[in-house]
Amino acid sequence: MGAARGEVLLARHGETAWNAAGRVQGQADAPLNAEGRRQARALARALARGALGPAAVSASASSDLERASETCCALEASLGLPRGPRVPELRERHLGPLQGLTWAEARATEPEAFAAAQGEGDARIPGGGESFGDVKARLKAAVEALVAARPGVRILLCTHGGVIMAAYALAGQRRRKIPANASVSIFSVDASAGTWAFKGYRGDLLDQARPPGEADAAAPGEPEGGDVFSAQ
């Protein structure tokens, strides 16, 4: 049997009101806000114009949380793709009792859970949260199954900041900051060998997507600070 390899584009969802307020989302199902919908449309335009090169995107999938699914809908429509599966394994890391708090509140009121949320090992967040290792394991299994089902093609997956951080770890990379909303991180995945390789990061696609004369605000940069899970 031949190798099952593919290129995987991991797009982070657009902004939500909770992102803007610095509130911990995890698996809480916050929808896109107006800025997040604008970002999704802008990213869709950029991808449709070939901002990531001439290779076609042949398949898509998304986390089943609304903010990722809505972002994916915009991208699928622009790229002419049928609606792909909404996959629970692509959800954000469950952050237990931190969900719904601001990060400042989380640090002050849930110090043990807050410290565990910064970890990159197998220690689970007290109160029902996942470990970073849990996220890596479910992401690896889900993405490799998608690649094995459609080998040799470019697959677009809409997901979340903590999940994308797990993808960097699977590729042997350590990234200090969460990728920006509506950014794309690119990986080569060999599902047969179970290996991942990092190929690039594009956080500039929203600027490239502006039609001539459109006065959009500049795309947001990456969150400041070193917290591994400072935004989802």
Side-chain angles (χ1 to χ4, degrees), residues 46-71:
L47 296 185
R49 292 173 182 172
L52 295 181
V57 176
S58 300
S60 64
S62 173
S63 158
D64 62 347
L65 295 178
E66 183 176 354
R67 59 192 183 272
S69 182
E70 185 178 354
T71 301

Side-chain angles (χ1 to χ4, degrees), residues 63-177:
S63 158
D64 62 347
L65 295 178
E66 183 176 354
R67 59 192 183 272
S69 182
E70 185 178 354
T71 301
C72 197
C73 283
L75 305 183
E76 288 165 339
S78 186
L79 293 168
L81 295 172
R83 180 182 171 93
R86 272 40 182 174
V87 181
E89 289 78 12
L90 298 179
R91 287 182 182 180
E92 182 55 284
R93 180 180 178 183
H94 197 297
L95 295 172
L98 305 182
Q99 296 180 176
L101 303 176
T102 67
W103 281 98
E105 290 168 345
R107 187 191 295 268
T109 65
E110 297 282 354
E112 185 179 358
F114 182 87
Q118 313 310 308
E120 297 182 3
D122 294 324
R124 291 194 170 101
I125 297 171
E130 292 181 288
S131 72
F132 191 66
D134 291 334
V135 179
K136 287 197 298 181
R138 63 174 163 84
L139 172 67
K140 187 175 191 298
V143 171
E144 290 177 10
L146 290 166
V147 169
R150 297 290 301 274
V153 305
R154 207 177 207 190
I155 302 175
L156 172 69
L157 304 180
C158 292
T159 185
H160 307 268
V163 174
I164 299 172
M165 296 290 278
Y168 278 88
L170 287 169
Q173 304 289 312
R174 191 178 190 282
R175 185 180 177 88
R176 281 184 55 81
K177 295 180 182 180

